[in-house]
Structure formats: structure tokens, C-alpha cells
């Protein structure tokens, strides 16, 4: 494991996902200052997240065919530029274009950065979990940064939001120049030439399809819980607003803990054992929320659910890359972008179901979806691939 390289990539992930989190964090401020309607807000959210999820596999295809390390810093710098322009623009169309630019930067970052993190981590599942948590930490700071820099009707100060990206860009430049950076680049190029004539393992698209279906079944409960859990506690269980907010905080924090714990377990009990354990423990946790008699019971089950659902997260990313060894960036783009976005795309349907039948019925339906995802997870099979020669050599040289 190249800890220095992994730490640098984790830092870039935190900065990149900071701008992903700034999109929803800035929307309430835009409503107050510019008087946007809910429809306009939904349009901006679609530009920032929906477009990013759809084009992310395309950037994965490009990264597989034309590996370019500059995509990593370019991604988060473009995302920062989009956020700054969105804050400074007064025209809605220009704001929409700016947030779409932010989404494109976020999409461009993830596939190559995930492949680079896998190379830096070697065979360790813990490395991928650390990289993943970096993004969670960055996104969690977005509301604080938005309120501090541009809160209180001060969107004209949005240029301040670009400072984290500029600082990380400078760090990236310093870390990738000089003697060690040149040596790593030379070793990586030599290894690519040496490995060009080596036969590459085939892509297992069938197994990858089953994994994508599993992740889709994971994303639907995740998005539904994230959007409706607070209402479930306050309306159905007669909890306070504080208890509803505490449940969401517990779910997010437990997700970060589960991601790290999943990486640790993956190195000890294996990748498939971690995936199956996460899904099997998530089922009684979700059932506990459905049958919860009180807010306190729901809060406890929520913490367990967040931990369980994120146990398989890092393992699923590395498994996707091993299913498609010829296209690891594409695999990352589909699993982290397109498959995870399905939960958001179908969330209006569950909202309509809640209006018609109540939140209890909706959470029961979500439990059924999670059961189907668990069945799919249990039928997944492991596939271990050695890191590509270019990545291995480049990592060792950088170390």
C-alpha cells in the first residue's frame, strides 16, 4: 500500500465531494436571495446530480481508453468553477449551466480517481474504504462552508468557495512534480510498455450485471430512508423534530463508520463475506424501523442500518473493477454513478406511494426491495485480479 498516494487521493476525494454537497447546500440560499420556485430548485438539482450520474460512465470509458492523471485535479477544479459561477450568476439559465458544469467536473473526477485509489491500495479493501470515507467527510462539511462563506444573502462572496479546490490543486501539483513524481511517471510508462503485450483477462459482463442489479436494490432503500426517515419518526412515531434530525445524522455517521469497518473486515474475512454480512444485517435493521414502536427504537435501528448498508460499499467497488478488468474506470463510473442514481430517479414513485398508503407501507415496500437485493448479493461470486502492471509499478515507484 502506498499510503502517501492514498492519502493524497483521499484528500482530493474530500474536496471533490465537498462541491457535490455544496449544490444542495446552496439551493435554500438561492431560494431566499433570488426567489426561485420549487420547480426551479428541482431543475438545478437535476443539473447537478442527475446529469453527473448519467455521464459518469462516459468519463469511465474515456479514462479506460486514454488514461490521463490530469483528469483527477481537472475534475474537482471544474466542479469548483461551476459552484463559483452559480453563486455569482443572477440569471437562472446561467446558474443552471454553471451547476451542470459542476456536475460534469464531479463526474470526470470519480472514475480515474477510484482506479488510482485501487492501485495505491493494492490488495487492501481498507484502502478503498478510506478513500470512500474521504468523500463522505468532504460532503458533510458543505453546509457549514456554505453558511459561513455565503450565508445571510451573500452569494456575491461565492468566489470564496473556490479556495479549497485551489489549495488542493496546488498540493496535487507539488506532489506530482519533482524527482519522485518524474520517477513514478517514468516507471509507470515503462510498465505500460512492458505490459502492452501481455494478455488481458476478459470482462465478465454477466457477473457485473448482477452486481449492478444488487447496487440498484441497495440504492433504493438508501435514498428512501434518507428522504423519508425524519418524517417517519416525527409523523408516525410522534417524535420531535430534534429526534428526526438526530436519526438522519446517525444514519450518515453510521454510514461512514460502516465504510471503514467494511474495509477492515474485507481484509480479514474476505470481500464476499463482507458484502453478504452487510446485506444480511441490513434486513433486520430495516425491519426494526418498519416495526418500531417508538422514536428511540427507530433511532437505534437507524444506526445499525447505516452501518450495515455501508459495510459492502468499498468491496462492491473493487469487485466491480475485477469483474471488468479491461475497463475498471467504466466499472467505477457505472457502479458509483449510474446504478446509485436509480434510487433518486424512483424516489418520486415512493413519494406517491407514501401519499396514497402512508409511510409505514412505503418502508415495508422498501424492505421488500432490500430483500431482493440481499438475494442477489448472496449469489454474487468473487473474482480476484492482480493490479495492472502499470499501476503496480507506478505505485511502487511513487513509494
Amino acid at each position: 500500500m502506498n499510503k502517501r498516494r492514498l492519502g493524497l487521493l483521499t484528500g482530493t476525494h474530500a474536496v471533490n465531494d465537498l462541491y457535490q454537497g455544496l449544490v444542495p447546500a446552496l439551493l435554500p440560499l438561492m431560494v431566499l436571495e433570488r426567489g426561485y420556485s420549487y420547480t426551479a430548485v428541482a431543475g438545478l438539482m437535476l443539473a447537478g446530480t442527475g446529469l453527473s450520474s448519467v455521464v459518469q460512465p462516459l468519463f469511465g470509458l474515456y479514462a479506460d481508453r486514454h488514461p490521463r492523471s490530469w483528469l483527477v485535479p481537472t475534475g474537482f477544479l471544474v466542479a469548483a468553477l461551476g459552484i463559483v459561477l452559480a453563486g455569482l450568476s443572477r440569471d437562472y439559465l446561467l446558474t443552471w449551466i454553471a451547476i451542470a458544469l459542476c456536475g460534469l467536473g464531479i463526474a470526470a473526477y470519480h472514475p480515474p480517481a477510484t482506479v488510482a485509489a485501487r492501485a495505491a491500495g493494492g490488495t487492501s479493501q481498507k484502502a478503498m474504504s478510506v478513500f470512500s470515507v474521504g468523500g463522505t467527510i468532504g460532503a458533510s462539511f458543505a453546509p457549514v462552508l456554505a453558511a459561513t462563506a455565503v450565508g445571510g444573502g451573500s452569494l456575491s462572496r461565492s468566489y470564496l468557495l473556490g479556495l479549497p479546490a485551489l489549495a488542493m490543486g496546488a498540493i496535487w501539483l507539488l506532489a506530482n512534480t519533482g524527482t519522485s513524481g518524474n520517477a513514478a511517471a517514468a516507471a509507470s510508462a515503462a510498465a505500460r510498455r512492458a505490459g502492452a503485450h501481455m494478455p488481458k483477462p476478459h470482462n465478465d459482463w454477466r457477473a457485473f450485471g448482477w452486481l449492478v442489479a444488487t447496487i440498484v436494490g441497495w440504492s433504493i432503500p438508501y435514498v428512501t430512508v434518507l428522504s423519508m426517515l425524519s418524517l417517519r419518526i416525527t409523523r408516525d412515531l410522534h417524535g420531535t423534530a430534534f429526534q428526526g434530525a438526530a436519526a438522519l445524522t446517525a444514519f450518515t455517521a453510521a454510514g461512514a463508520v460502516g465504510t471503514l469497518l467494511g474495509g477492515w473486515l474485507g481484509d480479514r474475512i474476505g470481500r464476499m463475506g463482507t458484502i453478504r454480512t452487510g446485506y444480511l444485517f441490513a434486513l433486520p435493521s430495516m425491519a426494526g424501523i418498519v416495526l418500531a414502536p417508538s422514536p428511540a427504537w427507530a433511532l437505534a435501528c437507524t444506526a445499525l442500518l447505516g452501518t450495515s448498508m455501508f459495510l459492502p460499499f468499498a468491496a462492491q467497488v473493487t469487485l466491480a473493477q475485477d469483474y471488468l478488468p479491461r475497463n475498471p474506470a467504466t466499472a467505477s463510473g457505472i457502479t458509483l454513478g449510474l446504478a446509485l442514481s436509480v434510487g433518486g430517479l424512483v424516489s418520486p414513485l415512493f413519494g406517491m406511494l407514501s401519499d396514497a398508503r402512508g409511510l409505514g407501507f412505503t418502508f415495508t415496500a422498501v424492505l421488500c426491495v432490500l430483500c431482493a437485493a440481499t438475494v442477489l448479493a448472496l449469489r454474487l461470486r468473487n473474482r480476484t485480479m492482480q493490479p495492472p502492471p502499470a499501476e503496480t509499478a507506478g505505485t511502487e515507484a511513487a513509494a
Side-chain angles (χ1 to χ4, degrees), residues 164-228:
L166 292 176
M168 182 52 67
I171 294 173
W172 177 272
L173 182 63
L174 291 174
N176 287 276
T177 56
T179 304
S180 60
N182 293 334
S188 179
R192 279 197 297 269
R193 290 192 296 269
H197 304 290
M198 297 177 61
K200 295 182 179 180
H202 70 280
N203 289 337
D204 191 345
W205 287 100
R206 179 182 177 84
F208 180 73
W210 284 114
L211 176 60
V212 170
T214 305
I215 296 175
V216 168
W218 178 96
S219 70
I220 293 174
Y222 169 71
V223 173
T224 304
V225 170
L226 200 61
S227 58
M228 298 185 179

Short mmCIF file of all heavy atoms in Angstrom, two decimals, residues 164-228:
data_model
loop_
_atom_site.label_atom_id
_atom_site.label_comp_id
_atom_site.label_asym_id
_atom_site.label_seq_id
_atom_site.Cartn_x
_atom_site.Cartn_y
_atom_site.Cartn_z
N PRO A 164 -10.88 25.96 -1.44
CA PRO A 164 -10.44 24.58 -1.16
C PRO A 164 -9.90 23.86 -2.40
O PRO A 164 -8.90 23.14 -2.33
CB PRO A 164 -11.71 23.91 -0.63
CG PRO A 164 -12.53 25.01 -0.07
CD PRO A 164 -12.26 26.18 -0.96
N ALA A 165 -10.54 24.07 -3.55
CA ALA A 165 -10.08 23.42 -4.78
C ALA A 165 -8.72 23.97 -5.21
O ALA A 165 -7.84 23.21 -5.65
CB ALA A 165 -11.11 23.60 -5.89
N LEU A 166 -8.53 25.28 -5.09
CA LEU A 166 -7.25 25.86 -5.45
C LEU A 166 -6.13 25.34 -4.56
O LEU A 166 -5.03 25.03 -5.02
CB LEU A 166 -7.32 27.38 -5.37
CG LEU A 166 -8.21 28.07 -6.41
CD1 LEU A 166 -8.26 29.57 -6.15
CD2 LEU A 166 -7.71 27.79 -7.82
N ALA A 167 -6.42 25.23 -3.26
CA ALA A 167 -5.40 24.72 -2.33
C ALA A 167 -5.06 23.26 -2.64
O ALA A 167 -3.88 22.88 -2.69
CB ALA A 167 -5.91 24.85 -0.90
N MET A 168 -6.08 22.43 -2.88
CA MET A 168 -5.82 21.03 -3.20
C MET A 168 -5.13 20.90 -4.56
O MET A 168 -4.29 20.02 -4.75
CB MET A 168 -7.13 20.24 -3.18
CG MET A 168 -6.95 18.74 -3.46
SD MET A 168 -5.70 17.92 -2.43
CE MET A 168 -6.49 18.04 -0.81
N GLY A 169 -5.48 21.77 -5.51
CA GLY A 169 -4.79 21.74 -6.80
C GLY A 169 -3.32 22.03 -6.65
O GLY A 169 -2.48 21.39 -7.31
N ALA A 170 -2.97 22.98 -5.78
CA ALA A 170 -1.56 23.29 -5.54
C ALA A 170 -0.84 22.10 -4.88
O ALA A 170 0.29 21.77 -5.24
CB ALA A 170 -1.44 24.53 -4.66
N ILE A 171 -1.52 21.46 -3.93
CA ILE A 171 -0.93 20.29 -3.28
C ILE A 171 -0.71 19.16 -4.28
O ILE A 171 0.33 18.49 -4.29
CB ILE A 171 -1.83 19.82 -2.12
CG1 ILE A 171 -1.87 20.87 -1.02
CG2 ILE A 171 -1.36 18.48 -1.56
CD1 ILE A 171 -2.87 20.59 0.08
N TRP A 172 -1.71 18.94 -5.15
CA TRP A 172 -1.57 17.91 -6.18
C TRP A 172 -0.39 18.20 -7.11
O TRP A 172 0.38 17.31 -7.46
CB TRP A 172 -2.87 17.82 -6.98
CG TRP A 172 -2.82 16.84 -8.11
CD1 TRP A 172 -2.40 17.07 -9.40
CD2 TRP A 172 -3.18 15.46 -8.06
NE1 TRP A 172 -2.48 15.92 -10.14
CE2 TRP A 172 -2.95 14.92 -9.35
CE3 TRP A 172 -3.68 14.62 -7.06
CZ2 TRP A 172 -3.21 13.59 -9.65
CZ3 TRP A 172 -3.95 13.30 -7.37
CH2 TRP A 172 -3.71 12.79 -8.65
N LEU A 173 -0.24 19.46 -7.50
CA LEU A 173 0.84 19.85 -8.40
C LEU A 173 2.20 19.61 -7.75
O LEU A 173 3.12 19.07 -8.38
CB LEU A 173 0.68 21.31 -8.80
CG LEU A 173 1.71 21.87 -9.80
CD1 LEU A 173 1.61 21.14 -11.13
CD2 LEU A 173 1.52 23.37 -9.99
N LEU A 174 2.33 19.99 -6.49
CA LEU A 174 3.59 19.80 -5.78
C LEU A 174 3.91 18.31 -5.60
O LEU A 174 5.07 17.90 -5.70
CB LEU A 174 3.54 20.49 -4.41
CG LEU A 174 3.51 22.03 -4.44
CD1 LEU A 174 3.31 22.58 -3.03
CD2 LEU A 174 4.79 22.57 -5.05
N ALA A 175 2.86 17.52 -5.34
CA ALA A 175 3.08 16.09 -5.10
C ALA A 175 3.42 15.34 -6.37
O ALA A 175 4.00 14.24 -6.30
CB ALA A 175 1.85 15.48 -4.45
N ASN A 176 3.07 15.89 -7.53
CA ASN A 176 3.29 15.18 -8.79
C ASN A 176 4.36 15.82 -9.65
O ASN A 176 4.44 15.55 -10.85
CB ASN A 176 1.98 15.11 -9.58
CG ASN A 176 0.99 14.14 -8.98
OD1 ASN A 176 1.04 12.94 -9.23
ND2 ASN A 176 0.08 14.66 -8.16
N THR A 177 5.18 16.67 -9.05
CA THR A 177 6.33 17.23 -9.74
C THR A 177 7.58 16.94 -8.93
O THR A 177 7.50 16.52 -7.77
CB THR A 177 6.18 18.75 -9.93
OG1 THR A 177 5.97 19.37 -8.65
CG2 THR A 177 5.04 19.07 -10.86
N GLY A 178 8.73 17.15 -9.52
CA GLY A 178 9.97 16.87 -8.81
C GLY A 178 10.51 15.49 -9.14
O GLY A 178 10.01 14.76 -10.01
N THR A 179 11.50 15.10 -8.39
CA THR A 179 12.22 13.85 -8.67
C THR A 179 11.34 12.63 -8.50
O THR A 179 11.29 11.74 -9.34
CB THR A 179 13.44 13.72 -7.74
OG1 THR A 179 14.27 14.87 -7.92
CG2 THR A 179 14.24 12.47 -8.10
N SER A 180 10.60 12.56 -7.38
CA SER A 180 9.78 11.38 -7.11
C SER A 180 8.64 11.27 -8.11
O SER A 180 8.31 10.19 -8.59
CB SER A 180 9.21 11.43 -5.69
OG SER A 180 8.41 12.58 -5.52
N GLY A 181 8.04 12.43 -8.48
CA GLY A 181 6.96 12.39 -9.46
C GLY A 181 7.45 11.96 -10.83
O GLY A 181 6.81 11.17 -11.52
N ASN A 182 8.64 12.46 -11.25
CA ASN A 182 9.19 12.06 -12.54
C ASN A 182 9.56 10.58 -12.55
O ASN A 182 9.38 9.89 -13.55
CB ASN A 182 10.40 12.92 -12.88
CG ASN A 182 10.03 14.38 -13.11
OD1 ASN A 182 8.90 14.66 -13.50
ND2 ASN A 182 10.96 15.29 -12.87
N ALA A 183 10.11 10.10 -11.44
CA ALA A 183 10.47 8.69 -11.36
C ALA A 183 9.24 7.80 -11.45
O ALA A 183 9.24 6.76 -12.11
CB ALA A 183 11.23 8.41 -10.06
N ALA A 184 8.17 8.21 -10.76
CA ALA A 184 6.94 7.42 -10.81
C ALA A 184 6.36 7.41 -12.21
O ALA A 184 5.91 6.37 -12.71
CB ALA A 184 5.91 8.00 -9.83
N ALA A 185 6.39 8.57 -12.90
CA ALA A 185 5.85 8.62 -14.25
C ALA A 185 6.68 7.76 -15.20
O ALA A 185 6.13 7.06 -16.06
CB ALA A 185 5.82 10.07 -14.74
N ALA A 186 8.02 7.80 -15.06
CA ALA A 186 8.87 7.00 -15.94
C ALA A 186 8.65 5.52 -15.71
O ALA A 186 8.58 4.72 -16.65
CB ALA A 186 10.34 7.37 -15.70
N ALA A 187 8.56 5.12 -14.43
CA ALA A 187 8.34 3.71 -14.12
C ALA A 187 6.98 3.24 -14.62
O ALA A 187 6.83 2.13 -15.13
CB ALA A 187 8.46 3.48 -12.62
N SER A 188 5.97 4.11 -14.48
CA SER A 188 4.63 3.75 -14.94
C SER A 188 4.61 3.58 -16.46
O SER A 188 4.00 2.65 -16.99
CB SER A 188 3.62 4.81 -14.51
OG SER A 188 2.34 4.49 -14.97
N ALA A 189 5.29 4.49 -17.18
CA ALA A 189 5.33 4.39 -18.64
C ALA A 189 6.05 3.13 -19.08
O ALA A 189 5.64 2.44 -20.01
CB ALA A 189 6.00 5.63 -19.23
N ALA A 190 7.16 2.81 -18.40
CA ALA A 190 7.91 1.60 -18.74
C ALA A 190 7.08 0.35 -18.50
O ALA A 190 7.09 -0.60 -19.28
CB ALA A 190 9.20 1.54 -17.93
N ALA A 191 6.32 0.34 -17.41
CA ALA A 191 5.50 -0.82 -17.10
C ALA A 191 4.37 -0.97 -18.10
O ALA A 191 3.99 -2.08 -18.47
CB ALA A 191 4.94 -0.70 -15.68
N ARG A 192 3.81 0.16 -18.57
CA ARG A 192 2.76 0.09 -19.59
C ARG A 192 3.30 -0.51 -20.89
O ARG A 192 2.63 -1.32 -21.54
CB ARG A 192 2.17 1.48 -19.86
CG ARG A 192 1.14 1.93 -18.85
CD ARG A 192 0.33 3.09 -19.38
NE ARG A 192 1.17 4.26 -19.62
CZ ARG A 192 1.40 5.21 -18.71
NH1 ARG A 192 0.86 5.10 -17.51
NH2 ARG A 192 2.16 6.23 -19.00
N ARG A 193 4.53 -0.11 -21.25
CA ARG A 193 5.12 -0.68 -22.46
C ARG A 193 5.39 -2.16 -22.30
O ARG A 193 5.19 -2.96 -23.21
CB ARG A 193 6.42 0.07 -22.80
CG ARG A 193 6.20 1.50 -23.28
CD ARG A 193 7.48 2.05 -23.88
NE ARG A 193 8.55 2.15 -22.87
CZ ARG A 193 8.77 3.20 -22.12
NH1 ARG A 193 8.01 4.28 -22.25
NH2 ARG A 193 9.75 3.22 -21.24
N ALA A 194 5.85 -2.55 -21.08
CA ALA A 194 6.15 -3.95 -20.84
C ALA A 194 4.89 -4.79 -20.80
O ALA A 194 4.89 -5.95 -21.22
CB ALA A 194 6.92 -4.11 -19.53
N GLY A 195 3.79 -4.20 -20.29
CA GLY A 195 2.55 -4.97 -20.16
C GLY A 195 1.64 -4.88 -21.36
O GLY A 195 0.58 -5.49 -21.38
N ALA A 196 2.08 -4.12 -22.40
CA ALA A 196 1.22 -3.95 -23.56
C ALA A 196 1.01 -5.26 -24.31
O ALA A 196 -0.02 -5.46 -24.96
CB ALA A 196 1.82 -2.90 -24.50
N HIS A 197 2.04 -6.16 -24.25
CA HIS A 197 1.95 -7.42 -24.99
C HIS A 197 1.44 -8.56 -24.13
O HIS A 197 1.36 -9.69 -24.61
CB HIS A 197 3.33 -7.77 -25.55
CG HIS A 197 3.93 -6.69 -26.42
ND1 HIS A 197 3.42 -6.37 -27.66
CD2 HIS A 197 4.96 -5.83 -26.19
CE1 HIS A 197 4.13 -5.37 -28.18
NE2 HIS A 197 5.07 -5.02 -27.30
N MET A 198 1.10 -8.29 -22.89
CA MET A 198 0.58 -9.33 -22.01
C MET A 198 -0.91 -9.51 -22.26
O MET A 198 -1.64 -8.54 -22.46
CB MET A 198 0.82 -8.97 -20.54
CG MET A 198 2.30 -8.86 -20.16
SD MET A 198 2.50 -8.36 -18.44
CE MET A 198 1.69 -9.71 -17.60
N PRO A 199 -1.39 -10.76 -22.27
CA PRO A 199 -2.83 -10.98 -22.46
C PRO A 199 -3.63 -10.44 -21.28
O PRO A 199 -3.25 -10.62 -20.12
CB PRO A 199 -2.94 -12.51 -22.55
CG PRO A 199 -1.73 -13.02 -21.83
CD PRO A 199 -0.65 -12.02 -22.08
N LYS A 200 -4.73 -9.78 -21.59
CA LYS A 200 -5.57 -9.21 -20.55
C LYS A 200 -6.73 -10.15 -20.25
O LYS A 200 -7.30 -10.75 -21.15
CB LYS A 200 -6.12 -7.84 -20.99
CG LYS A 200 -5.04 -6.78 -21.17
CD LYS A 200 -5.67 -5.46 -21.56
CE LYS A 200 -4.60 -4.38 -21.72
NZ LYS A 200 -5.20 -3.08 -22.11
N PRO A 201 -7.11 -10.29 -18.98
CA PRO A 201 -8.27 -11.13 -18.65
C PRO A 201 -9.53 -10.53 -19.23
O PRO A 201 -9.65 -9.32 -19.42
CB PRO A 201 -8.29 -11.12 -17.12
CG PRO A 201 -7.54 -9.89 -16.73
CD PRO A 201 -6.50 -9.67 -17.79
N HIS A 202 -10.49 -11.39 -19.52
CA HIS A 202 -11.72 -10.94 -20.15
C HIS A 202 -12.64 -10.28 -19.14
O HIS A 202 -12.55 -10.52 -17.93
CB HIS A 202 -12.44 -12.12 -20.81
CG HIS A 202 -13.01 -13.09 -19.82
ND1 HIS A 202 -12.24 -14.05 -19.18
CD2 HIS A 202 -14.27 -13.25 -19.33
CE1 HIS A 202 -13.00 -14.75 -18.35
NE2 HIS A 202 -14.23 -14.28 -18.43
N ASN A 203 -13.54 -9.44 -19.63
CA ASN A 203 -14.56 -8.82 -18.80
C ASN A 203 -15.71 -9.80 -18.58
O ASN A 203 -16.19 -10.43 -19.54
CB ASN A 203 -15.11 -7.56 -19.46
CG ASN A 203 -14.11 -6.42 -19.45
OD1 ASN A 203 -13.20 -6.38 -18.64
ND2 ASN A 203 -14.28 -5.48 -20.38
N ASP A 204 -16.16 -9.92 -17.36
CA ASP A 204 -17.30 -10.77 -17.04
C ASP A 204 -18.54 -9.88 -16.93
O ASP A 204 -18.94 -9.47 -15.83
CB ASP A 204 -17.05 -11.54 -15.73
CG ASP A 204 -18.08 -12.64 -15.49
OD1 ASP A 204 -19.13 -12.62 -16.16
OD2 ASP A 204 -17.84 -13.51 -14.63
N TRP A 205 -19.14 -9.57 -18.06
CA TRP A 205 -20.27 -8.64 -18.08
C TRP A 205 -21.50 -9.22 -17.40
O TRP A 205 -22.30 -8.48 -16.82
CB TRP A 205 -20.60 -8.25 -19.52
CG TRP A 205 -19.61 -7.32 -20.12
CD1 TRP A 205 -18.59 -7.62 -20.98
CD2 TRP A 205 -19.52 -5.90 -19.89
NE1 TRP A 205 -17.88 -6.49 -21.30
CE2 TRP A 205 -18.43 -5.42 -20.65
CE3 TRP A 205 -20.26 -5.00 -19.11
CZ2 TRP A 205 -18.06 -4.08 -20.65
CZ3 TRP A 205 -19.90 -3.67 -19.12
CH2 TRP A 205 -18.81 -3.21 -19.88
N ARG A 206 -21.67 -10.53 -17.46
CA ARG A 206 -22.82 -11.16 -16.82
C ARG A 206 -22.76 -10.97 -15.30
O ARG A 206 -23.74 -10.54 -14.67
CB ARG A 206 -22.88 -12.64 -17.17
CG ARG A 206 -24.05 -13.38 -16.53
CD ARG A 206 -24.02 -14.87 -16.89
NE ARG A 206 -25.07 -15.60 -16.22
CZ ARG A 206 -26.32 -15.71 -16.67
NH1 ARG A 206 -26.65 -15.14 -17.81
NH2 ARG A 206 -27.22 -16.41 -16.01
N ALA A 207 -21.61 -11.27 -14.71
CA ALA A 207 -21.46 -11.10 -13.27
C ALA A 207 -21.56 -9.61 -12.90
O ALA A 207 -22.14 -9.26 -11.87
CB ALA A 207 -20.11 -11.67 -12.81
N PHE A 208 -21.01 -8.75 -13.75
CA PHE A 208 -21.10 -7.32 -13.49
C PHE A 208 -22.54 -6.85 -13.52
O PHE A 208 -22.94 -5.99 -12.72
CB PHE A 208 -20.27 -6.56 -14.53
CG PHE A 208 -20.28 -5.07 -14.34
CD1 PHE A 208 -19.57 -4.48 -13.32
CD2 PHE A 208 -21.01 -4.25 -15.20
CE1 PHE A 208 -19.59 -3.10 -13.14
CE2 PHE A 208 -21.03 -2.89 -15.03
CZ PHE A 208 -20.31 -2.30 -14.00
N GLY A 209 -23.35 -7.40 -14.43
CA GLY A 209 -24.76 -7.05 -14.49
C GLY A 209 -25.50 -7.41 -13.21
O GLY A 209 -26.33 -6.64 -12.72
N TRP A 210 -25.18 -8.59 -12.65
CA TRP A 210 -25.80 -8.98 -11.38
C TRP A 210 -25.38 -8.04 -10.25
O TRP A 210 -26.18 -7.69 -9.38
CB TRP A 210 -25.42 -10.42 -11.03
CG TRP A 210 -26.15 -11.45 -11.82
CD1 TRP A 210 -25.63 -12.31 -12.72
CD2 TRP A 210 -27.56 -11.74 -11.76
NE1 TRP A 210 -26.60 -13.11 -13.26
CE2 TRP A 210 -27.80 -12.78 -12.68
CE3 TRP A 210 -28.63 -11.22 -11.05
CZ2 TRP A 210 -29.08 -13.32 -12.89
CZ3 TRP A 210 -29.90 -11.74 -11.27
CH2 TRP A 210 -30.11 -12.77 -12.16
N LEU A 211 -24.11 -7.60 -10.28
CA LEU A 211 -23.65 -6.67 -9.25
C LEU A 211 -24.35 -5.33 -9.39
O LEU A 211 -24.75 -4.72 -8.38
CB LEU A 211 -22.13 -6.49 -9.37
CG LEU A 211 -21.51 -5.48 -8.41
CD1 LEU A 211 -21.75 -5.87 -6.95
CD2 LEU A 211 -20.01 -5.33 -8.68
N VAL A 212 -24.52 -4.85 -10.60
CA VAL A 212 -25.23 -3.58 -10.81
C VAL A 212 -26.67 -3.68 -10.32
O VAL A 212 -27.19 -2.76 -9.67
CB VAL A 212 -25.19 -3.19 -12.30
CG1 VAL A 212 -26.13 -2.01 -12.57
CG2 VAL A 212 -23.77 -2.82 -12.72
N ALA A 213 -27.33 -4.81 -10.59
CA ALA A 213 -28.69 -5.01 -10.10
C ALA A 213 -28.73 -5.00 -8.57
O ALA A 213 -29.66 -4.45 -7.96
CB ALA A 213 -29.26 -6.32 -10.63
N THR A 214 -27.70 -5.59 -7.95
CA THR A 214 -27.61 -5.58 -6.49
C THR A 214 -27.47 -4.16 -5.96
O THR A 214 -28.13 -3.77 -4.98
CB THR A 214 -26.41 -6.44 -6.04
OG1 THR A 214 -26.53 -7.75 -6.58
CG2 THR A 214 -26.35 -6.51 -4.52
N ILE A 215 -26.62 -3.37 -6.60
CA ILE A 215 -26.40 -1.99 -6.14
C ILE A 215 -27.65 -1.14 -6.35
O ILE A 215 -27.97 -0.27 -5.52
CB ILE A 215 -25.19 -1.39 -6.87
CG1 ILE A 215 -23.92 -2.16 -6.49
CG2 ILE A 215 -25.02 0.09 -6.54
CD1 ILE A 215 -22.68 -1.73 -7.26
N VAL A 216 -28.37 -1.38 -7.44
CA VAL A 216 -29.65 -0.68 -7.64
C VAL A 216 -30.61 -1.00 -6.51
O VAL A 216 -31.29 -0.12 -5.96
CB VAL A 216 -30.26 -1.07 -9.00
CG1 VAL A 216 -31.70 -0.60 -9.10
CG2 VAL A 216 -29.44 -0.48 -10.14
N GLY A 217 -30.68 -2.30 -6.13
CA GLY A 217 -31.51 -2.69 -4.99
C GLY A 217 -31.04 -2.10 -3.68
O GLY A 217 -31.84 -1.95 -2.74
N TRP A 218 -29.78 -1.74 -3.59
CA TRP A 218 -29.24 -1.06 -2.40
C TRP A 218 -29.59 0.42 -2.42
O TRP A 218 -29.90 1.01 -1.37
CB TRP A 218 -27.73 -1.25 -2.39
CG TRP A 218 -26.98 -0.60 -1.26
CD1 TRP A 218 -26.60 -1.19 -0.09
CD2 TRP A 218 -26.51 0.76 -1.19
NE1 TRP A 218 -25.92 -0.28 0.69
CE2 TRP A 218 -25.86 0.92 0.03
CE3 TRP A 218 -26.59 1.85 -2.05
CZ2 TRP A 218 -25.27 2.12 0.42
CZ3 TRP A 218 -26.02 3.06 -1.67
CH2 TRP A 218 -25.36 3.17 -0.45
N SER A 219 -29.52 1.05 -3.59
CA SER A 219 -29.69 2.50 -3.67
C SER A 219 -31.12 2.94 -3.38
O SER A 219 -31.34 4.02 -2.83
CB SER A 219 -29.27 3.00 -5.06
OG SER A 219 -30.19 2.60 -6.06
N ILE A 220 -32.10 2.10 -3.73
CA ILE A 220 -33.49 2.48 -3.49
C ILE A 220 -33.79 2.60 -2.00
O ILE A 220 -34.34 3.62 -1.55
CB ILE A 220 -34.44 1.49 -4.20
CG1 ILE A 220 -34.30 1.62 -5.72
CG2 ILE A 220 -35.89 1.73 -3.78
CD1 ILE A 220 -35.08 0.59 -6.51
N PRO A 221 -33.46 1.61 -1.16
CA PRO A 221 -33.66 1.80 0.28
C PRO A 221 -32.84 2.95 0.85
O PRO A 221 -33.31 3.68 1.73
CB PRO A 221 -33.23 0.46 0.88
CG PRO A 221 -33.35 -0.52 -0.23
CD PRO A 221 -33.02 0.25 -1.47
N TYR A 222 -31.63 3.13 0.35
CA TYR A 222 -30.77 4.20 0.87
C TYR A 222 -31.40 5.57 0.66
O TYR A 222 -31.53 6.37 1.59
CB TYR A 222 -29.40 4.13 0.21
CG TYR A 222 -28.54 5.34 0.49
CD1 TYR A 222 -27.99 5.54 1.76
CD2 TYR A 222 -28.28 6.29 -0.50
CE1 TYR A 222 -27.22 6.66 2.03
CE2 TYR A 222 -27.51 7.39 -0.24
CZ TYR A 222 -26.98 7.58 1.02
OH TYR A 222 -26.22 8.68 1.28
N VAL A 223 -31.82 5.85 -0.57
CA VAL A 223 -32.40 7.16 -0.87
C VAL A 223 -33.73 7.34 -0.15
O VAL A 223 -34.02 8.43 0.37
CB VAL A 223 -32.57 7.33 -2.39
CG1 VAL A 223 -33.33 8.61 -2.71
CG2 VAL A 223 -31.22 7.32 -3.09
N THR A 224 -34.54 6.29 -0.08
CA THR A 224 -35.83 6.40 0.59
C THR A 224 -35.68 6.68 2.07
O THR A 224 -36.38 7.53 2.63
CB THR A 224 -36.64 5.11 0.37
OG1 THR A 224 -36.76 4.85 -1.03
CG2 THR A 224 -38.03 5.24 0.97
N VAL A 225 -34.77 5.96 2.72
CA VAL A 225 -34.53 6.19 4.14
C VAL A 225 -34.01 7.61 4.36
O VAL A 225 -34.44 8.32 5.28
CB VAL A 225 -33.54 5.15 4.70
CG1 VAL A 225 -33.09 5.53 6.10
CG2 VAL A 225 -34.18 3.77 4.72
N LEU A 226 -33.10 8.05 3.49
CA LEU A 226 -32.52 9.37 3.65
C LEU A 226 -33.57 10.47 3.50
O LEU A 226 -33.51 11.50 4.19
CB LEU A 226 -31.41 9.56 2.60
CG LEU A 226 -30.37 10.65 2.86
CD1 LEU A 226 -29.60 10.36 4.15
CD2 LEU A 226 -29.41 10.74 1.69
N SER A 227 -34.56 10.26 2.64
CA SER A 227 -35.54 11.31 2.36
C SER A 227 -36.78 11.24 3.24
O SER A 227 -37.47 12.24 3.44
CB SER A 227 -35.96 11.26 0.89
OG SER A 227 -36.49 9.99 0.58
N MET A 228 -37.10 10.06 3.79
CA MET A 228 -38.37 9.90 4.49
C MET A 228 -38.24 9.46 5.95
O MET A 228 -39.25 9.38 6.65
CB MET A 228 -39.25 8.88 3.76
CG MET A 228 -39.61 9.29 2.35
SD MET A 228 -40.77 8.15 1.57
CE MET A 228 -40.98 8.93 -0.02
#
